[in-house]
Amino acid sequence: MTDWGARAERLLNDLSTCSEPGPGVTRLPFTPEHRAAIDLLQTQMETLGLTVTLDHAGTLIGRIEGPLGSKTLLMGSHQDTVREGGAYDGIMGVVLPLMALEKLRSDGIELPFSVEVLAFADEEGVRFPTALIGSRALAGTFDPSVLFMVDSQGITLSEAMVAFGLDPDRIGTLARNLNDVIGFVETHIEQGPVLEQEGEALGFVTAICGIERHQIEVIGETGHAGTLPMSGRRDALVGAAAIVTEVDRLGRTTPDLRATVGALDVVPNVVNAVPRRVRMTAEFRSPDDQTRCDAGRSLHSYVRELALRRNLTIKVQKTYSQVAQPCDVDLSTRLTRSATSMGAEGLALPSGATHDASAMADLCPIAMLFVRCRDGVSHKPEEFASSHDMGLAISALAEYLASIDRQTIQADD
Ligand code: HGY
Ligand code: MN
Ligand code: MN
């Protein structure tokens, strides 16, 4: 009897070595670490009998051909990580479907449809200030203007992709046709504490939260920390601190809203000078788009009033947003039924983290399977999912795939 969870754990351990040196896993898109990971995955996919291609958005695609003219079920997740991240976020959602396909093959089960397992190059948006490149390419929503965005070395996304052997000018040709697709099912570590608190190994996502991000620049006036009187100071950091407190207040007083100032840069950032400029971010997330947008508007009006009150110049701009995406009821019900048939409770929950599925929802119906996350910890080296829970997820995915019969596919027509 194959221990599929242990098999997954070994492959994930190998994949975690495809990383920059340092704590945890750092694997950014279009880098040697990315290349090493997709080489490993390609070998695994070819051993499994999948046809493997790398598309011009950097997505590795492992495909099992179904009967002529059959539709395709898309699965997978992202290969990239945050800096000093964990070994499961994203990449586990590529490995587990591969194990499920291998389990079906060893059980002698052939599927009446095609399946593709996708390893998207970039979901985190860490190297470049954009995200979801590969999933947006397939959904036909890729914005080519992001190709000119630069990383911390001044390399454009386009240059990085060309150096990786890709032709970014052809990304626009990658959009899939909904008529060819059954849906997209993403498996992902929960990245939160709910499943562990409920004693559940698996969970089913109801909706992926919407996000909006704001860049804020607070401009004051520097001066000698010892000689500049307190009255009349135009201290940019004091203004920024007020904004941090307001963002936190919005998050704590608004139901279903998460609010975070994640990045803050102070100039001149020395102990004996009054800060003259602060650049900072504010992020709002909610399963309800109206709640999220109201928070963004509230921040902008607060900032305008603060600038007057503290005699500061404050620029604020919304730089990113994505709407909340509900998961497809039919796909999710079938996925839940597959897991409950193996003893899971079928716990349903929203996802505070965003995923490639949020972009794929612009192409086709989506569903997400969550796997329990130890201590709810993610985006850190301590991120962990047990081989027991991964084994249950593999069995649930295999059961799910086997349950999609010809009649179901025709019913979708
Ligand atoms: O930000 C997110 O939610 C995802 O982990 N990139
Ligand atoms: Mn992720
Ligand atoms: Mn992540």
Coordinates of all heavy atoms in Angstrom, one line a residue, residues 268-347:
P268 N 15.4 60.6 6.6 CA 16.6 60.0 6.4 C 16.9 58.7 7.3 O 18.0 58.1 7.2 CB 17.7 61.1 6.7 CG 17.0 61.9 7.7 CD 15.5 61.9 7.4
N269 N 16.0 58.4 8.2 CA 16.1 57.2 9.0 C 17.4 57.2 9.8 O 18.1 56.2 9.9 CB 16.1 56.0 8.0 CG 15.7 54.7 8.8 OD1 14.9 54.8 9.7 ND2 16.2 53.6 8.4
V270 N 17.6 58.3 10.5 CA 18.8 58.4 11.4 C 18.3 58.9 12.8 O 17.3 59.6 12.9 CB 19.9 59.3 10.9 CG1 20.5 58.8 9.6 CG2 19.4 60.7 10.6
V271 N 19.0 58.5 13.8 CA 18.5 58.7 15.1 C 18.4 60.2 15.5 O 17.5 60.6 16.3 CB 19.5 58.1 16.2 CG1 20.8 58.8 16.1 CG2 18.9 58.1 17.6
N272 N 19.1 61.1 14.9 CA 19.1 62.5 15.4 C 18.6 63.5 14.3 O 19.0 64.7 14.3 CB 20.5 62.9 15.8 CG 21.6 62.6 14.7 OD1 21.2 62.2 13.6 ND2 22.8 63.0 15.0
A273 N 17.7 63.0 13.4 CA 17.1 63.9 12.5 C 15.6 63.6 12.4 O 15.2 62.5 12.5 CB 17.7 63.8 11.1
V274 N 14.8 64.7 12.3 CA 13.4 64.5 12.2 C 13.1 63.9 10.8 O 13.6 64.4 9.8 CB 12.7 65.9 12.3 CG1 11.2 65.8 12.0 CG2 13.0 66.5 13.7
P275 N 12.3 62.8 10.7 CA 12.0 62.2 9.4 C 11.3 63.2 8.5 O 10.3 63.9 8.9 CB 11.1 61.1 9.8 CG 11.4 60.7 11.2 CD 11.7 62.1 11.8
R276 N 11.8 63.3 7.2 CA 11.2 64.2 6.3 C 10.3 63.5 5.3 O 9.4 64.1 4.7 CB 12.3 64.9 5.5 CG 13.1 64.1 4.5 CD 14.0 65.0 3.7 NE 15.0 64.1 3.0 CZ 14.7 63.5 1.8 NH1 13.5 63.6 1.3 NH2 15.7 62.8 1.2
R277 N 10.4 62.1 5.1 CA 9.6 61.4 4.2 C 9.4 60.0 4.6 O 10.3 59.4 5.1 CB 10.2 61.4 2.8 CG 9.2 60.9 1.7 CD 9.9 60.6 0.4 NE 10.7 59.3 0.6 CZ 11.7 59.0 -0.2 NH1 12.2 59.8 -1.1 NH2 12.3 57.8 0.0
V278 N 8.2 59.5 4.5 CA 7.9 58.1 4.8 C 7.1 57.5 3.6 O 6.1 58.2 3.1 CB 7.0 57.9 6.1 CG1 6.6 56.4 6.2 CG2 7.8 58.4 7.3
R279 N 7.5 56.4 3.0 CA 6.7 55.7 2.0 C 6.2 54.4 2.7 O 7.0 53.7 3.4 CB 7.6 55.3 0.8 CG 7.9 56.5 -0.1 CD 8.4 56.1 -1.4 NE 8.6 57.3 -2.3 CZ 9.8 57.6 -2.8 NH1 10.9 56.8 -2.6 NH2 10.0 58.7 -3.6
M280 N 4.9 54.1 2.5 CA 4.3 53.0 3.2 C 3.2 52.4 2.4 O 2.8 53.0 1.4 CB 3.8 53.5 4.6 CG 2.7 54.6 4.5 SD 2.5 55.4 6.0 CE 1.6 54.2 7.0
T281 N 2.8 51.2 2.8 CA 1.7 50.6 2.0 C 0.5 50.4 3.0 O 0.7 50.3 4.2 CB 2.1 49.2 1.5 OG1 2.5 48.4 2.7 CG2 3.3 49.2 0.6
A282 N -0.7 50.3 2.5 CA -1.8 49.9 3.3 C -2.6 48.9 2.4 O -2.7 49.1 1.2 CB -2.7 51.1 3.6
E283 N -3.0 47.8 3.0 CA -3.7 46.7 2.3 C -5.0 46.4 3.0 O -5.0 46.2 4.2 CB -2.8 45.5 2.2 CG -3.5 44.4 1.4 CD -2.8 43.0 1.5 OE1 -3.1 42.3 2.5 OE2 -2.0 42.6 0.6
F284 N -6.1 46.2 2.3 CA -7.3 45.8 2.8 C -7.8 44.5 2.1 O -7.7 44.4 0.9 CB -8.4 46.9 2.6 CG -8.1 48.2 3.3 CD1 -7.7 49.3 2.5 CD2 -8.1 48.3 4.7 CE1 -7.4 50.5 3.2 CE2 -7.7 49.5 5.3 CZ -7.4 50.6 4.5
R285 N -8.3 43.6 2.9 CA -8.9 42.3 2.3 C -10.2 42.0 2.9 O -10.4 42.2 4.1 CB -7.9 41.1 2.6 CG -6.6 41.3 2.0 CD -5.8 40.0 2.1 NE -4.4 40.2 1.7 CZ -3.7 39.2 1.2 NH1 -4.2 38.0 1.0 NH2 -2.4 39.4 0.9
S286 N -11.1 41.5 2.1 CA -12.4 41.1 2.6 C -13.1 40.2 1.6 O -12.9 40.4 0.4 CB -13.3 42.4 2.8 OG -14.6 42.0 3.2
P287 N -14.0 39.3 2.1 CA -14.8 38.5 1.2 C -15.9 39.3 0.5 O -16.5 38.9 -0.4 CB -15.3 37.4 2.0 CG -15.2 37.8 3.4 CD -14.1 38.8 3.5
D288 N -16.1 40.5 1.1 CA -17.1 41.4 0.6 C -16.5 42.7 0.0 O -15.8 43.5 0.6 CB -18.0 41.9 1.8 CG -19.1 42.9 1.3 OD1 -20.0 42.5 0.5 OD2 -18.9 44.1 1.6
D289 N -16.7 42.8 -1.4 CA -16.0 43.9 -2.1 C -16.4 45.3 -1.6 O -15.6 46.2 -1.5 CB -16.2 43.8 -3.6 CG -15.4 42.6 -4.2 OD1 -14.4 42.3 -3.6 OD2 -15.9 42.0 -5.1
Q290 N -17.7 45.5 -1.2 CA -18.1 46.8 -0.7 C -17.4 47.2 0.5 O -16.9 48.3 0.7 CB -19.7 46.7 -0.5 CG -20.3 48.1 -0.3 CD -20.0 49.1 -1.4 OE1 -20.4 48.7 -2.6 NE2 -19.4 50.2 -1.2
T291 N -17.3 46.2 1.4 CA -16.5 46.5 2.7 C -15.1 46.9 2.4 O -14.6 47.9 3.0 CB -16.5 45.2 3.5 OG1 -17.8 44.8 3.8 CG2 -15.7 45.4 4.8
R292 N -14.5 46.2 1.5 CA -13.1 46.5 1.1 C -13.0 47.9 0.5 O -12.1 48.8 0.9 CB -12.5 45.5 0.2 CG -11.2 45.8 -0.5 CD -10.7 44.7 -1.4 NE -11.7 44.3 -2.4 CZ -11.8 45.0 -3.6 NH1 -11.2 46.1 -3.8 NH2 -12.7 44.5 -4.4
C293 N -13.9 48.3 -0.4 CA -13.8 49.6 -1.1 C -14.1 50.7 -0.1 O -13.5 51.8 -0.2 CB -14.7 49.6 -2.3 SG -14.3 48.4 -3.6
D294 N -15.1 50.5 0.8 CA -15.4 51.5 1.8 C -14.2 51.8 2.6 O -13.9 53.0 3.0 CB -16.5 51.1 2.7 CG -17.9 51.0 1.9 OD1 -17.9 51.6 0.8 OD2 -18.8 50.5 2.4
A295 N -13.4 50.8 3.0 CA -12.2 51.0 3.8 C -11.2 51.8 3.1 O -10.6 52.7 3.6 CB -11.6 49.6 4.2
G296 N -11.0 51.5 1.8 CA -10.1 52.3 0.9 C -10.5 53.8 0.9 O -9.6 54.7 1.0
R297 N -11.8 54.0 0.7 CA -12.2 55.4 0.6 C -12.1 56.1 1.9 O -11.6 57.2 2.0 CB -13.7 55.4 0.2 CG -13.9 55.4 -1.4 CD -15.3 55.7 -1.7 NE -16.2 54.6 -1.4 CZ -16.4 53.5 -2.2 NH1 -15.8 53.4 -3.3 NH2 -17.2 52.5 -1.8
S298 N -12.3 55.4 3.0 CA -12.2 55.9 4.3 C -10.7 56.3 4.6 O -10.4 57.4 5.2 CB -12.7 54.9 5.4 OG -12.5 55.4 6.6
L299 N -9.8 55.5 4.2 CA -8.4 55.8 4.3 C -8.0 57.1 3.6 O -7.3 58.0 4.1 CB -7.5 54.7 3.8 CG -6.0 54.9 3.8 CD1 -5.4 55.1 5.2 CD2 -5.3 53.8 3.0
H300 N -8.5 57.2 2.3 CA -8.2 58.4 1.6 C -8.7 59.7 2.2 O -8.0 60.7 2.3 CB -8.7 58.3 0.1 CG -7.8 57.3 -0.7 ND1 -7.4 57.7 -2.0 CD2 -7.4 56.1 -0.5 CE1 -6.7 56.7 -2.5 NE2 -6.6 55.7 -1.6
S301 N -9.9 59.6 2.7 CA -10.4 60.9 3.4 C -9.7 61.2 4.7 O -9.4 62.3 5.0 CB -12.0 60.8 3.6 OG -12.3 59.7 4.3
Y302 N -9.3 60.1 5.4 CA -8.6 60.3 6.6 C -7.2 61.0 6.3 O -6.8 62.0 7.0 CB -8.3 59.0 7.3 CG -7.4 59.1 8.6 CD1 -8.0 59.5 9.8 CD2 -6.0 58.9 8.5 CE1 -7.1 59.7 10.9 CE2 -5.2 59.1 9.6 CZ -5.8 59.5 10.8 OH -5.0 59.6 11.9
V303 N -6.6 60.5 5.3 CA -5.3 61.1 4.9 C -5.4 62.5 4.5 O -4.5 63.4 4.9 CB -4.7 60.2 3.8 CG1 -3.6 61.0 3.0 CG2 -4.1 58.9 4.3
R304 N -6.4 62.9 3.8 CA -6.6 64.3 3.4 C -6.8 65.2 4.6 O -6.1 66.2 4.8 CB -7.8 64.4 2.5 CG -7.6 64.1 1.0 CD -8.7 64.5 0.1 NE -10.0 63.8 0.4 CZ -10.3 62.6 -0.1 NH1 -9.5 62.0 -0.9 NH2 -11.5 62.1 0.2
E305 N -7.5 64.7 5.6 CA -7.8 65.5 6.8 C -6.5 65.6 7.7 O -6.1 66.7 8.2 CB -8.9 64.8 7.6 CG -9.4 65.5 8.9 CD -8.5 65.1 10.1 OE1 -8.0 63.9 10.1 OE2 -8.2 65.9 10.9
L306 N -5.8 64.5 7.7 CA -4.5 64.5 8.5 C -3.5 65.5 7.9 O -2.8 66.2 8.7 CB -3.9 63.1 8.5 CG -2.6 62.9 9.2 CD1 -2.7 62.9 10.7 CD2 -2.0 61.5 8.8
A307 N -3.4 65.5 6.6 CA -2.4 66.4 5.9 C -2.6 67.8 6.3 O -1.7 68.6 6.7 CB -2.5 66.2 4.4
L308 N -3.9 68.2 6.4 CA -4.3 69.6 6.8 C -3.9 69.8 8.2 O -3.2 70.8 8.6 CB -5.7 69.9 6.5 CG -6.2 69.9 5.1 CD1 -7.7 70.0 5.0 CD2 -5.5 71.1 4.3
R309 N -4.3 68.8 9.1 CA -4.1 69.0 10.5 C -2.7 69.1 10.9 O -2.3 69.8 11.8 CB -4.9 67.9 11.2 CG -4.8 67.9 12.7 CD -6.0 67.0 13.3 NE -6.2 65.8 12.7 CZ -5.6 64.6 13.0 NH1 -4.7 64.6 14.0 NH2 -5.9 63.5 12.4
R310 N -1.8 68.3 10.2 CA -0.4 68.2 10.6 C 0.5 69.0 9.7 O 1.7 68.8 9.7 CB 0.0 66.7 10.7 CG -0.8 65.8 11.6 CD -0.4 65.7 13.0 NE 0.9 65.9 13.4 CZ 1.3 65.7 14.7 NH1 0.4 65.2 15.5 NH2 2.5 66.0 15.1
N311 N -0.1 69.7 8.7 CA 0.7 70.5 7.8 C 1.7 69.7 7.1 O 2.9 70.0 7.0 CB 1.4 71.7 8.6 CG 2.1 72.6 7.6 OD1 1.7 72.7 6.4 ND2 3.1 73.4 8.0
L312 N 1.2 68.5 6.6 CA 2.1 67.6 5.8 C 1.5 67.5 4.4 O 0.4 67.8 4.1 CB 2.0 66.2 6.4 CG 2.6 66.1 7.9 CD1 2.2 64.7 8.5 CD2 4.1 66.2 7.8
T313 N 2.4 67.1 3.5 CA 1.9 66.7 2.1 C 1.8 65.2 2.1 O 2.8 64.5 2.4 CB 3.0 67.2 1.1 OG1 3.2 68.6 1.2 CG2 2.5 66.8 -0.3
I314 N 0.6 64.7 1.8 CA 0.5 63.2 1.8 C -0.2 62.8 0.5 O -1.2 63.3 0.1 CB -0.4 62.7 3.0 CG1 0.1 63.3 4.3 CG2 -0.4 61.2 3.0 CD1 -0.7 62.9 5.5
K315 N 0.6 61.9 -0.2 CA 0.1 61.4 -1.5 C -0.4 59.9 -1.2 O 0.3 59.2 -0.6 CB 1.2 61.4 -2.6 CG 1.7 62.7 -2.9 CD 2.9 62.6 -3.8 CE 3.7 63.9 -4.0 NZ 5.0 63.7 -4.6
V316 N -1.6 59.6 -1.7 CA -2.1 58.2 -1.5 C -2.7 57.8 -2.8 O -3.4 58.5 -3.5 CB -3.1 58.1 -0.4 CG1 -4.2 59.1 -0.5 CG2 -3.6 56.7 -0.2
Q317 N -2.3 56.6 -3.2 CA -2.8 56.0 -4.5 C -3.1 54.6 -4.4 O -2.3 53.8 -3.9 CB -1.7 56.2 -5.6 CG -2.1 55.8 -7.0 CD -0.9 55.7 -8.0 OE1 0.2 56.0 -7.6 NE2 -1.2 55.4 -9.2
K318 N -4.3 54.1 -4.9 CA -4.6 52.7 -4.9 C -3.8 52.1 -6.1 O -3.9 52.5 -7.2 CB -6.1 52.5 -5.1 CG -6.5 51.0 -5.2 CD -7.9 50.8 -4.8 CE -8.9 51.1 -6.0 NZ -10.3 50.6 -5.7
T319 N -2.9 51.2 -5.8 CA -2.1 50.6 -6.8 C -2.4 49.2 -7.3 O -1.9 48.7 -8.2 CB -0.6 50.6 -6.3 OG1 -0.6 49.9 -5.0 CG2 0.0 52.0 -6.1
Y320 N -3.3 48.5 -6.5 CA -3.6 47.2 -6.9 C -5.0 46.8 -6.3 O -5.3 47.2 -5.2 CB -2.6 46.2 -6.3 CG -2.8 44.7 -6.7 CD1 -2.4 44.2 -7.9 CD2 -3.4 43.9 -5.8 CE1 -2.5 42.9 -8.2 CE2 -3.6 42.5 -6.1 CZ -3.2 42.0 -7.3 OH -3.4 40.7 -7.6
S321 N -5.8 46.1 -7.1 CA -7.0 45.5 -6.5 C -7.5 44.3 -7.3 O -7.2 44.2 -8.5 CB -8.1 46.6 -6.5 OG -8.7 46.8 -7.8
Q322 N -8.1 43.4 -6.6 CA -8.7 42.3 -7.2 C -10.0 42.0 -6.4 O -10.0 42.1 -5.2 CB -7.8 41.0 -7.3 CG -7.3 40.5 -6.0 CD -6.3 39.3 -6.1 OE1 -5.2 39.5 -6.5 NE2 -6.8 38.1 -5.8
V323 N -11.0 41.6 -7.2 CA -12.3 41.4 -6.5 C -12.3 40.0 -5.8 O -11.6 39.1 -6.1 CB -13.4 41.5 -7.6 CG1 -13.5 42.8 -8.2 CG2 -13.3 40.4 -8.6
A324 N -13.3 39.9 -4.9 CA -13.5 38.6 -4.2 C -14.0 37.7 -5.2 O -14.8 38.0 -6.1 CB -14.5 38.8 -3.0
Q325 N -13.6 36.4 -5.1 CA -14.1 35.4 -6.1 C -14.7 34.2 -5.4 O -14.1 33.5 -4.6 CB -12.9 34.8 -6.9 CG -12.2 35.8 -7.8 CD -13.0 36.1 -9.1 OE1 -14.2 35.7 -9.2 NE2 -12.4 36.9 -10.0
P326 N -16.0 34.0 -5.6 CA -16.7 32.9 -5.0 C -16.3 31.6 -5.7 O -16.0 31.6 -6.9 CB -18.2 33.2 -5.2 CG -18.2 34.1 -6.3 CD -17.0 34.9 -6.4
C327 N -16.2 30.5 -4.9 CA -15.9 29.2 -5.6 C -17.2 28.6 -6.1 O -18.3 28.9 -5.7 CB -15.3 28.3 -4.6 SG -13.6 28.7 -4.2
D328 N -17.0 27.8 -7.2 CA -18.2 27.3 -7.9 C -18.9 26.2 -7.0 O -18.2 25.3 -6.5 CB -17.7 26.6 -9.2 CG -18.9 25.9 -10.0 OD1 -19.6 26.7 -10.6 OD2 -19.0 24.7 -9.9
V329 N -20.2 26.3 -6.8 CA -20.9 25.4 -5.9 C -20.8 24.0 -6.4 O -20.5 23.1 -5.6 CB -22.4 25.9 -5.8 CG1 -23.2 24.9 -4.9 CG2 -22.4 27.3 -5.1
D330 N -21.0 23.7 -7.7 CA -21.0 22.3 -8.1 C -19.7 21.7 -7.9 O -19.6 20.6 -7.4 CB -21.4 22.3 -9.6 CG -22.9 22.7 -9.8 OD1 -23.6 22.7 -8.8 OD2 -23.3 23.1 -10.9
L331 N -18.6 22.4 -8.4 CA -17.3 21.8 -8.3 C -16.9 21.6 -6.8 O -16.4 20.5 -6.4 CB -16.2 22.8 -8.8 CG -16.0 22.8 -10.4 CD1 -14.9 23.8 -10.7 CD2 -15.7 21.4 -11.0
S332 N -17.3 22.6 -5.9 CA -17.0 22.5 -4.5 C -17.8 21.4 -3.8 O -17.3 20.6 -3.0 CB -17.2 23.8 -3.8 OG -16.5 24.8 -4.4
T333 N -19.0 21.3 -4.2 CA -19.9 20.2 -3.6 C -19.3 18.8 -3.9 O -19.2 18.0 -3.1 CB -21.3 20.3 -4.1 OG1 -21.8 21.6 -3.9 CG2 -22.2 19.3 -3.5
R334 N -18.9 18.7 -5.2 CA -18.3 17.4 -5.6 C -17.0 17.1 -4.9 O -16.8 16.0 -4.4 CB -18.1 17.3 -7.1 CG -17.6 16.1 -7.7 CD -17.4 16.1 -9.2 NE -18.7 16.2 -9.9 CZ -19.4 15.1 -10.1 NH1 -19.0 13.9 -9.7 NH2 -20.6 15.2 -10.7
L335 N -16.2 18.2 -4.7 CA -14.9 18.0 -4.0 C -15.2 17.7 -2.6 O -14.5 16.8 -2.0 CB -14.1 19.3 -4.2 CG -12.7 19.3 -3.7 CD1 -11.9 18.3 -4.5 CD2 -12.1 20.8 -4.0
T336 N -16.1 18.4 -1.9 CA -16.5 18.1 -0.5 C -17.0 16.7 -0.3 O -16.5 16.0 0.6 CB -17.5 19.1 -0.1 OG1 -17.0 20.4 -0.3 CG2 -17.8 19.0 1.4
R337 N -17.8 16.3 -1.3 CA -18.4 14.9 -1.2 C -17.3 13.8 -1.3 O -17.3 12.9 -0.5 CB -19.4 14.7 -2.3 CG -20.5 13.6 -2.0 CD -21.4 13.4 -3.2 NE -22.2 14.7 -3.4 CZ -22.6 15.1 -4.6 NH1 -22.1 14.5 -5.7 NH2 -23.3 16.2 -4.8
S338 N -16.3 14.1 -2.1 CA -15.2 13.2 -2.2 C -14.5 13.0 -0.9 O -14.0 11.9 -0.5 CB -14.2 13.6 -3.3 OG -14.9 13.8 -4.5
A339 N -14.3 14.1 -0.2 CA -13.6 14.1 1.1 C -14.4 13.5 2.2 O -13.9 12.7 3.0 CB -13.1 15.5 1.4
T340 N -15.7 13.9 2.2 CA -16.5 13.4 3.3 C -16.7 11.9 3.2 O -16.9 11.2 4.2 CB -17.9 14.1 3.4 OG1 -18.5 14.1 2.0 CG2 -17.8 15.6 3.8
S341 N -16.6 11.4 1.9 CA -16.8 9.9 1.7 C -15.6 9.2 2.4 O -15.6 8.0 2.6 CB -16.8 9.6 0.2 OG -15.5 9.8 -0.3
M342 N -14.6 10.0 2.7 CA -13.4 9.4 3.4 C -13.3 9.8 4.9 O -12.3 9.6 5.5 CB -12.1 9.8 2.7 CG -12.0 9.3 1.3 SD -10.7 10.2 0.4 CE -10.1 11.3 1.7
G343 N -14.4 10.4 5.4 CA -14.5 10.7 6.8 C -14.3 12.1 7.2 O -14.4 12.5 8.3
A344 N -13.9 13.0 6.2 CA -13.8 14.4 6.5 C -15.1 15.0 6.9 O -16.2 14.5 6.4 CB -13.1 15.1 5.4
E345 N -15.1 16.1 7.7 CA -16.4 16.8 8.0 C -16.9 17.6 6.9 O -18.0 18.0 6.8 CB -16.1 17.6 9.3 CG -16.1 16.9 10.6 CD -17.4 16.1 10.8 OE1 -18.5 16.7 10.7 OE2 -17.3 14.9 11.0
G346 N -16.0 18.0 6.0 CA -16.4 18.9 4.9 C -16.5 20.4 5.4 O -17.4 21.1 5.0
L347 N -15.5 20.8 6.2 CA -15.6 22.2 6.7 C -15.4 23.2 5.6 O -14.4 23.1 4.8 CB -14.5 22.3 7.8 CG -14.5 23.5 8.7 CD1 -14.0 23.1 10.1 CD2 -13.8 24.7 8.2

